[in-house]
Amino acid sequence: MTDKLHRILPTVQKPARYIGGEYRQVIKEKKDVNIRVAFCFPDTYEIGMSNLGLRILYGVLNRIPDVWCERVFMPWGDMADAMQENDIPLYALESKDPVKDFDLVSFSIGYEMSYLNILNMMLLSGIAPLAKDRGGLDEIVFAGGVCAYNPEPLADFFDFFVLGEGEDVIIELMDIYRTAKQEQWQKDRFLKEVSKIEGVYVPSFYEHIYGEDGALCEIRALCGAPKTVKKRIVQSFDDSFFPVDGIVPSTEIVHDRANLEVFRGCIRGCRFCQAGYCYRPVRPRNADTLLRQAQQVLADSGNQEITLASLSTSDYKQLEQLALPLIDFCEPRMVNVSLPSLRADNFSRELMMKVQKVRKSGLTFAPEAGTQRLRDAINKNVTEAEILETCATAFSGGWNNVKLYFMLGLPTETDEDVLGIAELTYKIIQVWKDNATNKKRGLTINLATAFFVPKPFTPFQWEAQITPEEYTRRVRLLKEQLHSRCVDYRYHGAELSFLEAVLARGDRRLAPVLLEAVKNGARLDSWNEYFRPEIWQKAFETCGVDPAWYAQRAYGKDEVLPWDTLSIGVNKAFFWRERERAYRGETTPSCREQCSGCGADKLLEGGVCDA
Amino acid sequence: MHRLLFEKVGNGIYLSHLDLMRVFQRAFLRAGVSLKHSSGFSPRAYVSVALPLSVGVESVCELLDYELANDAPVPGDLAQRLNATMPEGIRVLEVYESDRKIRDLGLLRAQLTLEYDGGVPENAISSIEALLNGESVIVPKHTKRGEVETDILPMISEWSVSQTDVNTISVNVLVAAQEPSLNPLLLITAIERYQPECAPDFAICRRVEVYDRGGAVFR
């Protein structure tokens, strides 16, 4: 007789997401394993399997002989409902064992709007969401990822957070857990020991005290916990672990291709960009290493596309030494090289023409702002002339599709800046008319605007977000200017970005709101099919929390910020200086031109960035 | 024509047709064998599976045709090389050359397993036999023109019904495979419509063999 799981699988959408069994999944003998880790990703399989961090840590953990790391993803709504109706607890893909039976449960959190998926996954697993309700050493739940830099809205749910790059910390954690399990420690003792690891933050060791005005006024370290917890980085990135023999999904995922991680960090310093600061300092991987990894990963996976991943690939010093041999290797094998994050400079233009031989990929620009004044204020180092020149080259080379990404609601933005987006778009259309080789096929411009969200550990961390109403007004203002048929304009929803802003800079008082929203059925918020802002609104009301206080308030220079206990290695004083420069419309040179003393170089043992 | 016979069983049954094409394309590359690609804007590898299965259906008789780049010879150990990197549930059984056109594949044999959690209902076998011995069995069938009420009996050329154990019935059918084609699971739909008291709690469908229109095994 068929079991319940296999009876529901044929009834749900894309069941291949729920069965594991892919080439290169790791299966171990339970008798050889001391520590079983359920590595949870709080979004769907297609998103999670595209995440390089997950693939790296899966490899690092499974290389430890007595550790078995398995994957868990958020089921789509139909599957989650069917599992609940049939009393099937959330299980890991490799063994199909319930998550609850694992020694350690970890989450990788990269996006605020996945917070409710975390709670939903805990509930589907039968795990108590509040850390204080989990007493045993076998009930530890921890997390890492970019959202761990302000984990306060999640502080009540997790036993600890890991800040920064996990390759080394995760091994140290396993060593402590192994001893703890052998010697049957109490959970308290285990938490105390892990809090001594650099990069590990145990939120229950800190008391947050709020003043009468509602603002946070003091963070008190208890139990001898360190005053600040600094993020961890991999010291020698060139020889750090890279998964050349990773899992090859059988079903289509979002980024369905092999990856090369070219370098970590970014020399640019765009003032809105959290990743640009959090991944500092810049550490490149050697071109020879990358070429070797490319050949290995292509042979092992059978992928027909490979992408050079980094925050700004044009800034890789050895780009020519890497890209040209890579293209030579890939072209005869019908492997497509994809180069996202290229800047609009000369060499990038040449490269773009070269890589189009296998498959022509799109042309994408992220000017972020419509006028040079605002681009200077946000320190987005791209000029109109560069964009138009690159477009001219591309159009004369046969391209007829451009993607443009902007943000609305950036600090200091005026209506003139909004209208500047439309003007730039029309200039691109004119360049196409002047340069296109095949006008019959027409031009398509996919224009998208996002709603600016102030993020911790950026120069704009103190800024107020504009109201959803004002954002919607600016969207309309722009829309009215776009009458060309070749422009397809899409914009992010106001409500989602508003909530993102609340959570990004939120504090511990948001925990009851999250629980309330989950209780009322909220989940999969980043998916239009499921996002229901009214559930959130009601949860804020029920809990007596004003979301606007978090999103639309400018935080004071001397205010205690919820994430002040944590450090990414970049000084708060540097961020404030950058904020002031933004308001004066001054740019900051890239790290390669001139060091601006952000402090991230101190994270390196030698103390020198390779910008 | 290069052809191979493979099975799609276990958790492999949840892979869609598109997933399966991707799995094979990558498995060929992992095996160090380059497939021939179409030219044009977005080159595609020449691989094609005859009569794609619905998601959730098992088969031990799937056929895949492929072409190799530069008309390279097929390596003698291709099956082993492919199977070395296949995901769970997909296994190549035989690699061979064939000159038979897929359009000559006319019949297929399927085995349906009907599961009854509370035990097989009394008279279930005779009711199902009566249904198949009847004048006509009309169910909504998916066609190019959408859902059409269709008599499926003319598309069933042989059948047998037997009880396997206290909870399961096995129905073995030989059905039309192409023009027209019959999804054997429509038999379950028919039971639900005509004999609701015999409707199973769950049904498994397994494709067991394919034949030409004359009834000879098709390879």
Side-chain angles (χ1 to χ4, degrees):
Chain A
M1 295 283 274
T2 307
D3 63 24
K4 285 190 286 187
L5 173 63
H6 290 87
R7 284 189 179 186
I8 63 173
L9 284 173
T11 68
V12 300
Q13 291 176 49
K14 303 187 192 167
R17 301 181 272 192
Y18 307 119
I19 54 165
E22 309 94 321
Y23 174 55
R24 288 294 192 201
Q25 73 167 357
V26 175
I27 299 287
K28 295 193 179 188
E29 287 279 346
K30 286 179 195 170
K31 65 174 174 47
D32 302 333
V33 170
N34 283 317
I35 308 174
R36 294 188 64 186
V37 182
F39 196 107
C40 303
F41 191 92
D43 210 318
T44 60
Y45 177 91
E46 295 92 316
I47 305 279
M49 284 307 295
S50 304
N51 184 278
L52 187 56
L54 177 147
R55 290 169 162 273
I56 292 173
L57 294 175
Y58 185 83
V60 169
L61 284 169
N62 281 321
R63 284 206 302 178
I64 309 173
D66 71 337
V67 175
W68 185 11
C69 172
E70 302 180 44
R71 298 159 296 150
V72 187
F73 299 97
M74 174 72 188
W76 193 242
D78 60 349
M79 181 66 174
D81 292 343
M83 288 171 76
Q84 267 176 320
E85 278 158 27
N86 290 279
D87 293 318
I88 300 170
L90 192 62
Y91 57 89
L93 292 185
E94 282 77 358
S95 65
K96 317 284 187 295
D97 287 336
V99 173
K100 204 177 190 314
D101 296 350
F102 281 67
D103 294 300
L104 288 166
V105 175
S106 75
F107 279 85
S108 172
I109 318 172
Y111 182 35
E112 290 81 1
M113 296 318 294
S114 70
Y115 287 0
L116 296 193
N117 295 345
I118 298 170
L119 297 185
N120 271 297
M121 287 171 78
M122 288 185 182
L123 293 171
L124 283 169
S125 305
I127 292 173
L130 290 169
K132 67 175 169 60
D133 296 336
R134 300 188 302 259
L137 190 66
D138 56 352
E139 293 177 298
I140 305 280
V141 184
F142 68 101
V146 162
C147 289
Y149 291 128
N150 176 28
E152 296 309 325
L154 298 172
D156 291 353
F157 308 118
F158 285 93
D159 295 297
F160 62 90
F161 294 93
V162 177
L163 306 187
E165 298 165 359
E167 287 97 329
D168 299 332
V169 188
I170 201 87
I171 296 173
E172 294 160 28
L173 281 171
M174 292 305 125
D175 288 341
I176 294 183
Y177 191 82
R178 188 180 294 109
T179 311
K181 197 177 168 183
Q182 260 160 16
E183 298 178 0
Q184 300 178 327
W185 293 3
Q186 297 291 305
K187 183 174 162 182
D188 283 357
R189 183 175 170 198
F190 173 74
L191 291 180
K192 199 141 219 175
E193 284 305 310
V194 295
S195 75
K196 293 176 190 163
I197 300 179
E198 201 180 314
V200 173
Y201 169 60
V202 180
S204 56
F205 291 173
Y206 298 83
E207 190 186 351
H208 283 217
I209 299 155
Y210 304 97
E212 278 174 15
D213 59 351
L216 184 64
C217 59
E218 194 193 339
I219 301 175
R220 210 174 280 165
L222 314 168
C223 324
K227 201 168 166 298
T228 353
V229 179
K230 193 178 274 187
K231 83 170 182 210
R232 285 287 287 273
I233 61 162
V234 169
Q235 289 292 335
S236 177
F237 178 60
D238 187 47
D239 48 30
S240 77
F241 175 81
F242 183 77
V244 287
D245 55 357
I247 295 171
V248 184
S250 305
T251 190
E252 190 172 11
I253 59 170
V254 176
H255 297 300
D256 203 1
R257 52 196 175 225
N259 263 298
L260 286 183
E261 198 185 1
V262 177
F263 66 95
R264 287 197 185 156
C266 186
I267 64 170
R268 293 289 157 182
C270 301
R271 290 176 181 135
F272 55 85
C273 179
Q274 191 183 35
Y277 295 103
C278 287
Y279 290 102
R280 289 185 178 197
V282 169
R283 286 148 297 151
R285 197 166 259 156
N286 200 291
D288 295 335
T289 312
L290 290 166
L291 279 169
R292 194 181 66 239
Q293 289 174 347
Q295 296 182 13
Q296 286 172 333
V297 74
L298 287 171
D300 196 82
S301 66
N303 263 304
Q304 287 196 286
E305 183 167 3
I306 188 162
T307 187
L308 301 187
S310 79
L311 292 169
S312 175
T313 301
S314 298
D315 292 328
Y316 178 54
K317 283 182 189 163
Q318 292 180 294
L319 184 58
E320 195 168 344
Q321 282 149 271
L322 169 65
L324 301 182
L326 183 64
I327 292 166
D328 288 343
F329 177 80
C330 290
E331 213 183 280
R333 292 171 173 78
M334 303 301 288
V335 172
N336 186 35
V337 180
S338 103
L339 296 159
S341 315
L342 279 191
R343 296 178 59 78
D345 60 25
N346 277 325
F347 179 66
S348 303
R349 278 195 279 275
E350 272 173 50
L351 210 53
M352 181 178 80
M353 303 305 283
K354 270 190 126 62
V355 298
Q356 62 144 337
K357 281 187 196 155
V358 179
R359 273 183 196 85
K360 200 167 279 184
S361 56
L363 188 63
T364 306
F365 295 104
E368 308 293 0
T371 61
Q372 197 58 45
R373 183 206 67 78
L374 187 53
R375 284 195 292 273
D376 287 347
I378 63 173
N379 206 38
K380 180 80 198 188
N381 245 306
V382 61
T383 65
E384 187 176 289
E386 284 171 326
I387 293 170
L388 296 180
E389 205 174 320
T390 305
C391 284
T393 315
F395 295 149
S396 53
W399 263 268
N400 57 356
N401 185 348
V402 185
K403 287 189 189 128
L404 294 173
Y405 294 115
F406 292 93
M407 268 191 255
L408 291 178
L410 284 162
T412 78
E413 184 179 70
T414 63
D415 283 1
E416 195 186 323
D417 299 308
V418 177
L419 298 174
I421 296 174
E423 282 167 35
L424 180 59
T425 308
Y426 282 106
K427 283 179 188 164
I428 291 174
I429 296 175
Q430 189 57 47
V431 168
W432 179 79
K433 286 180 182 160
D434 297 341
N435 294 277
T437 45
N438 184 358
K439 288 202 181 124
K440 271 188 210 137
R441 271 203 279 160
L443 169 71
T444 314
I445 296 182
N446 298 100
L447 173 66
T449 57
F451 181 3
F452 167 71
V453 177
K455 293 270 167 126
F457 297 109
T458 66
F460 291 155
Q461 63 180 354
W462 295 276
E463 298 304 307
Q465 189 186 45
I466 59 172
T467 63
E469 294 75 28
E470 173 58 14
Y471 168 73
T472 309
R473 187 191 70 81
R474 293 186 197 182
V475 165
R476 282 207 202 98
L477 179 68
L478 174 58
K479 209 172 176 178
E480 282 163 13
Q481 301 299 314
L482 301 167
H483 353 263
S484 171
R485 269 204 319 197
C486 63
V487 182
D488 179 24
Y489 174 42
R490 301 279 161 97
Y491 49 91
H492 284 199
E495 282 135 331
L496 191 74
S497 304
F498 167 61
L499 282 172
E500 189 184 334
V502 174
L503 297 174
R505 296 192 300 171
D507 56 35
R508 295 184 178 186
R509 291 171 295 186
L510 293 177
V513 180
L514 299 182
L515 280 175
E516 179 69 15
V518 166
K519 202 179 84 188
N520 292 316
R523 61 181 171 182
L524 293 162
D525 288 299
S526 58
W527 300 86
N528 278 334
E529 300 94 314
Y530 283 97
F531 181 51
R532 288 169 62 192
E534 66 279 6
I535 297 184
W536 282 90
Q537 208 178 346
K538 199 163 155 282
F540 282 116
E541 278 163 26
T542 308
C543 302
V545 173
D546 175 18
W549 188 83
Y550 291 95
Q552 290 153 20
R553 189 172 65 93
Y555 292 23
K557 184 186 177 188
D558 299 317
E559 190 175 331
V560 178
L561 301 171
W563 53 94
D564 273 350
T565 326
L566 311 177
S567 164
I568 62 160
V570 176
N571 311 316
K572 202 172 176 182
F574 165 81
F575 285 136
W576 187 263
R577 281 204 305 275
E578 279 293 299
R579 179 191 177 275
E580 296 201 305
R581 291 176 79 95
Y583 276 90
R584 291 198 301 268
E586 289 172 21
T587 59
T588 295
S590 78
C591 302
R592 193 162 293 162
E593 293 160 84
Q594 193 196 326
C595 174
S596 47
C598 75
D601 53 339
K602 311 276 188 310
L603 293 166
L604 286 164
E605 272 153 16
V608 187
C609 278
D610 187 9
Chain B
M1 174 85 75
H2 305 319
R3 185 166 290 166
L4 57 80
L5 176 76
F6 69 98
E7 63 176 17
K8 191 167 182 270
V9 297
N11 280 335
I13 65 174
Y14 303 109
L15 300 183
S16 71
H17 177 61
L18 279 177
D19 293 340
L20 188 67
M21 304 301 280
R22 189 181 0 257
V23 162
F24 266 102
Q25 286 174 27
R26 289 182 179 171
F28 270 99
L29 283 175
R30 293 194 288 259
V33 176
S34 300
L35 291 165
K36 185 175 169 184
H37 278 74
S38 64
S39 52
F41 191 72
S42 189
R44 298 196 181 281
Y46 283 100
V47 280
S48 94
V49 172
L51 313 182
L53 287 169
S54 305
V55 170
V57 177
E58 309 173 353
S59 174
V60 292
C61 56
E62 292 301 288
L63 301 175
L64 176 130
D65 290 348
Y66 59 96
E67 290 180 47
L68 297 185
N70 312 316
D71 295 320
V74 177
D77 59 348
L78 182 62
Q80 289 102 297
R81 283 206 231 169
L82 288 171
N83 287 336
T85 76
M86 276 295 179
E88 260 175 48
I90 309 296
R91 203 162 58 97
V92 176
L93 304 172
E94 201 185 331
V95 170
Y96 59 98
E97 298 298 309
S98 175
D99 52 10
R100 307 207 61 181
K101 301 263 186 285
I102 292 296
R103 65 168 181 268
D104 296 333
L105 196 170
L107 294 166
L108 62 85
R109 185 175 298 283
Q111 185 176 322
L112 295 166
T113 306
L114 284 57
E115 298 184 352
Y116 298 91
D117 295 349
V120 173
E122 237 179 289
N123 304 328
I125 294 201
S126 53
S127 300
I128 295 170
E129 284 174 343
L131 181 69
L132 290 164
N133 278 324
E135 288 291 299
S136 66
V137 173
I138 294 169
V139 290
K141 182 175 180 292
H142 202 73
T143 69
K144 279 171 195 158
R145 288 161 291 143
E147 296 267 290
V148 176
E149 292 287 332
T150 312
D151 182 6
I152 59 171
L153 280 190
M155 288 179 263
I156 303 175
S157 42
E158 277 176 28
W159 55 266
S160 66
V161 185
S162 62
Q163 183 155 353
T164 346
D165 59 45
V166 286
N167 294 105
T168 51
I169 286 177
S170 177
V171 181
N172 196 294
V173 282
L174 185 67
V175 301
Q178 291 192 89
E179 291 161 16
S181 69
L182 178 66
N183 179 351
L185 279 170
L186 281 180
L187 219 69
I188 306 298
T189 314
I191 294 170
E192 284 164 354
R193 176 179 274 196
Y194 288 86
Q195 315 276 359
E197 67 288 354
C198 301
D201 294 294
F202 189 69
I204 300 167
C205 180
R206 184 181 183 93
R207 194 183 272 181
V208 288
E209 192 52 278
V210 284
Y211 308 91
D212 63 18
R213 287 186 180 78
V217 169
F218 184 91
R219 284 292 181 274

